[in-house]
Amino acid sequence: MSIALSEQEILRRESLQQLRDLGINPYPAEAFDVTAFAQDIKENFESSPDIYQHVVLAGRIMSRRIMGSASFAELQDSTGRIQVYLKRDDICPGEDKTLYNTVFKKLLDLGDYVGIKGYVFLTQTGEISVHVQEMTLLSKSLKPLPVVRRDEEGNIFDAFTDPELRYRQRYVDLTVNPEFKQIFINRSKVISSMRDYFNSEGWMEVETPILQPVHGGAAARPFTTHHNTLDMKLYLRIANELYLKRLIVAGFDGVYEFGKMFRNEGMDRTHNPEFTSVEIYVAYKDYIWMMAMVEACLEHVTRAVHGIPVVQVGENEINFEGPYTKLSMYDSILKYTGIDVSAMDEAGLRKICADLGIEVDDTMGKGKLIDEIFSEKVEANLIQPTYITDYPIEMTPLAKKHRTKDGLVERFELFVNGKEIANAYSELNDPIDQRQRLEEQLVLAGRGDEEAMAMDDDFLRALEYGMPPTSGLGIGIDRLVMLMTNQHTIQEVLFFPQMRPEKKARVVTAEDFVKIGVPAEWVPVLNKMGFNTIEELKAANPNKVFNDLGGMRKKLKLDITMPAKEIVLAWFV
RNA sequence: GAUUUCGUAGCUCAGCUGGUAGAGCAUAACACUUUUAAUGUUGGGGUCCUGGGUUCGAAUCCCAGCGAGAUCACCA
């Protein structure tokens, strides 16, 4: 990133100063109360024109078409764009035409925030527009926005599409690509409609620790941090499950939490180091009950976003009306591979993996091997919402043993469009069983499984006091939002996806150069030549710098005195 | 982490087998009172991501680094 301002940025700063010289504050403190919005005017003006005879709007100038003493501009507010019409003699009724000729035509730029007062009318070409009677500068923009052009049919030219710039500068993205705002509006609807549903059932929203001394409740590598006063290691939570269960022990019948989880794993189009989940625990329920709840909840959410329980995702039309297909883990593998793995031991499973060409390693236990076969051969086939139920006990240390089937637990995952969306159990509340299951995880950890769960003695103590039978559910909100908004990368549903740091511009003041004897007027020239720090300058060849200074003076047509060669050489001492 | 593609003006992009950079929009100046991808004329604007190498000569070829995308691995 260059320190030097671009030509356009310099011009905008000069305009800013000229505005101040004219007594116009480019960043006024006063509130500016609007009475109308672009979208509202465009939708309702023709049916009830009378109520738009005095409107006040505010927004950014996004385009201008100046024709002498009349001009059209597009004003963009939070709801959309509307054309505004300015006539010199209307906004400058007296002799002084400065506001139009100088302020509007010369000193305002695309991207500036202005407030306008006027009336809505129809132009000769039939476009609903606002005839401006007063205009106020609300905020000056110093950096030019990318210009995205659109024609009448809505075709987009010169689209601002570079993912790096869009994600790093989301404020620019959503300003020039306002259609992407709908994704985030829908994200908000997903969360608020789900919260409404839970609240209407009488369950309570809670907050549990993000900084945890033991990272439990899921299988993943954590971020670690350090608390200075306590002088102890803390982890950013990979899950909140064990804390929510403590609250069930405490006597709440239904608790849920929306929150960020943190996992120190790879990043790709479905993974961000921090992501949002919702977990909910309801006492005296089981995973059968939970399936019906999820069906009702997701139908409610889909209707809240789309008005109907159906959402189009890529090629697939997905219907969230329940009941959903239910298939046990073993049956699903049988269905899609023709192989019955239900009675196999670890060696048998390894052979099957080898036959199917699935890569495995020595740290994998029986549960993990089955999971590999499932994700390789079954997952992608599950397009319409499908519950996969009854997982092998080895994969699931926090779920209750199946009421009838040996070696399985009462668990389901919901798959939609080939991806896991939700995960639920009849929660394990037998403290002795739970301790054994976590000890087995320690054995896996000993075999080298970095994701095996840690022992949490306080959680076990809580269970020993007694936890009622409980069903719990976790939903990955980002992935649900991807489904609901038909997006195939997680970055598109996160305002600020994680990015590698930008290279920082090296900061140096002109004074530093002046201190070593560089005349102040030559400092920008040195910057232009690529010398942004004293070190960079001193590393260069003094004779070449001297020659280049002359060259730059000529090239830039600078009317400043060339320093003597001895002076230039003295910079390098 | 691996493989691969990309990085040129404020933005979107050209730039062939190496010969020191172009367009559109934006921007500046002038004209224009209902335009709408406004128009017409004239200008300015570039460490060609960074650092090495090959070469008489590198935006272009080679190597390394940085950043991004895609695919894979890990994970949700």
Side-chain angles (χ1 to χ4, degrees):
Chain A
M1 188 187 280
S2 162
I3 299 176
L5 295 174
S6 72
E7 183 192 28
Q8 292 190 46
E9 288 175 295
I10 292 166
L11 285 165
R12 286 185 179 213
R13 279 170 163 76
E14 286 169 1
S15 297
L16 181 80
Q17 188 53 50
Q18 288 179 48
L19 286 164
R20 289 207 157 104
D21 293 345
L22 286 168
I24 295 170
N25 181 356
Y27 302 104
E30 297 80 21
F32 188 86
D33 294 320
V34 303
T35 64
F37 293 95
Q39 189 185 8
D40 171 48
I41 293 171
K42 282 163 122 173
E43 284 174 2
N44 300 314
F45 171 69
E46 286 181 307
S47 56
S48 41
D50 295 347
I51 60 172
Y52 296 108
Q53 291 314 298
H54 298 282
V55 293
V56 184
L57 289 94
R60 289 182 119 115
I61 300 172
M62 295 305 281
S63 74
R64 281 191 301 180
R65 293 179 285 279
I66 298 174
M67 290 154 295
S69 55
S71 297
F72 290 92
E74 274 184 299
L75 189 77
Q76 175 170 296
D77 68 14
S78 62
T79 67
R81 291 187 184 190
I82 190 161
Q83 176 166 273
V84 299
Y85 174 64
L86 290 98
K87 209 161 132 182
R88 184 186 61 202
D89 296 336
D90 281 358
I91 63 168
C92 306
E95 283 301 303
D96 182 7
K97 305 299 183 191
T98 310
L99 179 61
Y100 182 81
N101 285 342
T102 308
V103 176
F104 175 72
K105 278 168 69 172
K106 310 272 185 204
L107 302 181
L108 292 192
D109 291 289
L110 300 189
D112 288 354
Y113 277 93
V114 295
I116 57 161
K117 295 182 184 176
Y119 59 88
V120 183
F121 74 112
L122 220 52
T123 64
Q124 282 182 359
T125 53
E127 176 151 349
I128 297 168
S129 307
V130 182
H131 190 124
V132 177
Q133 292 163 308
E134 279 180 51
M135 184 175 63
T136 314
L137 176 60
L138 298 178
S139 182
K140 181 90 190 119
S141 160
L142 295 181
K143 285 180 90 69
L145 290 165
V147 178
V148 177
R149 296 181 300 153
R150 293 173 170 78
D151 67 12
E152 278 176 40
E153 285 84 44
N155 298 315
I156 293 177
F157 301 84
D158 299 345
F160 180 69
T161 54
D162 181 342
E164 176 169 7
L165 292 173
R166 287 189 50 232
Y167 301 152
R168 283 195 201 281
Q169 303 185 41
R170 187 65 91 177
Y171 36 90
V172 173
D173 178 34
L174 295 179
T175 299
V176 303
N177 299 323
E179 59 275 16
F180 286 114
K181 286 162 88 177
Q182 193 58 45
I183 293 171
F184 297 99
I185 293 168
N186 285 342
R187 181 184 176 109
S188 174
K189 282 183 187 168
V190 166
I191 292 171
S192 62
S193 62
M194 200 175 281
R195 179 177 277 129
D196 288 346
Y197 180 83
F198 293 160
N199 287 343
S200 73
E201 296 289 330
W203 303 318
M204 184 172 77
E205 182 161 16
V206 299
E207 292 174 278
T208 64
I210 289 172
L211 292 173
Q212 302 179 346
V214 179
H215 59 279
R221 300 211 300 272
F223 288 92
T224 60
T225 185
H226 182 261
H227 190 284
N228 289 340
T229 304
L230 296 174
D231 189 22
M232 68 181 289
K233 195 176 187 180
L234 287 169
Y235 302 96
L236 272 63
R237 67 180 175 194
I238 58 173
N240 52 358
E241 170 158 359
L242 302 187
Y243 282 94
L244 291 170
K245 286 184 187 171
R246 284 171 170 93
L247 295 178
I248 297 293
V249 171
F252 295 103
D253 279 349
V255 290
Y256 69 91
E257 178 174 17
F258 287 92
K260 283 283 179 73
M261 304 299 151
F262 306 85
R263 297 191 185 175
N264 209 338
E265 312 271 2
M267 294 160 54
D268 61 28
R269 70 149 75 107
T270 55
H271 297 85
N272 196 64
E274 57 180 284
F275 65 100
T276 303
S277 81
V278 63
E279 295 218 4
I280 177 162
Y281 292 82
V282 182
Y284 311 114
K285 305 295 185 189
D286 62 10
Y287 80 138
I288 309 280
W289 171 87
M290 185 64 86
M291 290 188 212
M293 191 279 261
V294 169
E295 287 160 2
C297 178
L298 291 185
E299 183 180 337
H300 175 77
V301 168
T302 313
R303 284 184 190 279
V305 176
H306 296 289
I308 51 172
V310 177
V311 55
Q312 183 75 36
V313 184
E315 301 286 295
N316 301 316
E317 196 173 74
I318 289 169
N319 189 339
F320 279 98
E321 276 175 310
Y324 304 156
T325 306
K326 297 175 184 66
L327 210 52
S328 80
M329 172 65 96
Y330 291 153
D331 287 346
S332 73
I333 292 174
L334 183 62
K335 178 173 174 185
Y336 290 102
T337 67
I339 300 168
D340 183 359
V341 297
S342 61
M344 286 185 186
D345 59 7
E346 192 173 316
L349 289 167
R350 283 187 185 280
K351 185 171 178 309
I352 294 297
C353 287
D355 292 348
L356 294 173
I358 298 167
E359 278 184 40
V360 296
D361 64 60
D362 293 343
T363 68
M364 291 179 176
K366 190 177 158 189
K368 193 112 188 183
L369 291 169
I370 291 170
D371 192 39
E372 287 294 318
I373 299 170
F374 175 80
S375 26
E376 201 67 30
K377 295 293 168 190
V378 180
E379 243 184 73
N381 298 303
L382 308 175
I383 303 301
Q384 292 302 321
T386 305
Y387 290 124
I388 298 296
T389 66
D390 301 342
Y391 285 62
I393 191 165
E394 294 84 353
M395 313 166 53
T396 317
L398 300 172
K400 191 177 277 197
K401 281 177 181 156
H402 198 280
R403 59 195 78 182
T404 57
K405 297 175 191 162
D406 243 12
L408 300 183
V409 291
E410 297 207 347
R411 171 186 185 182
F412 72 78
E413 289 189 308
L414 175 63
F415 288 83
V416 184
N417 204 39
K419 306 264 161 48
E420 183 208 327
I421 290 298
N423 182 21
Y425 313 145
S426 298
E427 300 294 338
L428 178 53
N429 62 345
D430 174 343
I432 293 170
D433 189 3
Q434 181 69 86
R435 185 176 293 280
Q436 281 172 357
R437 305 264 286 272
L438 287 176
E439 278 166 358
E440 283 158 18
Q441 287 289 305
L442 293 182
V443 173
L444 285 181
R447 280 170 74 171
D449 187 345
E450 283 186 70
E451 297 148 6
M453 273 184 215
M455 183 63 69
D456 186 335
D457 288 317
D458 178 69
F459 170 65
L460 288 168
R461 177 167 63 190
L463 287 192
E464 284 169 6
Y465 282 106
M467 182 173 91
T470 298
S471 185
L473 166 78
I475 295 179
I477 293 293
D478 308 291
R479 292 188 177 179
L480 180 61
V481 172
M482 284 165 67
L483 261 184
M484 290 292 170
T485 58
N486 191 19
Q487 295 300 313
H488 70 285
T489 73
I490 198 169
Q491 285 102 323
E492 292 292 356
V493 303
L494 298 171
F495 275 127
F496 304 105
Q498 191 63 49
M499 302 287 274
R500 283 201 166 76
E502 281 180 273
K503 259 188 269 179
K504 276 206 185 106
R506 287 153 297 194
V507 178
V508 73
T509 64
E511 280 175 36
D512 293 324
F513 282 104
V514 172
K515 268 185 208 154
I516 63 163
V518 179
E521 66 270 23
W522 281 95
V523 174
V525 181
L526 287 175
N527 291 344
K528 191 92 184 165
M529 284 161 61
F531 301 117
N532 289 317
T533 64
I534 307 295
E535 292 72 34
E536 284 173 349
L537 177 62
K538 292 206 170 184
N541 179 330
N543 288 308
K544 181 165 166 34
V545 170
F546 177 72
N547 285 337
D548 288 349
L549 284 175
M552 293 297 282
R553 183 171 178 271
K554 197 171 170 185
K555 186 181 171 197
L556 298 173
K557 301 191 184 79
L558 296 170
D559 191 21
I560 52 181
T561 320
M562 188 65 196
K565 187 162 186 183
E566 308 79 73
I567 292 177
V568 173
L569 294 181
W571 301 346
F572 294 85
V573 178

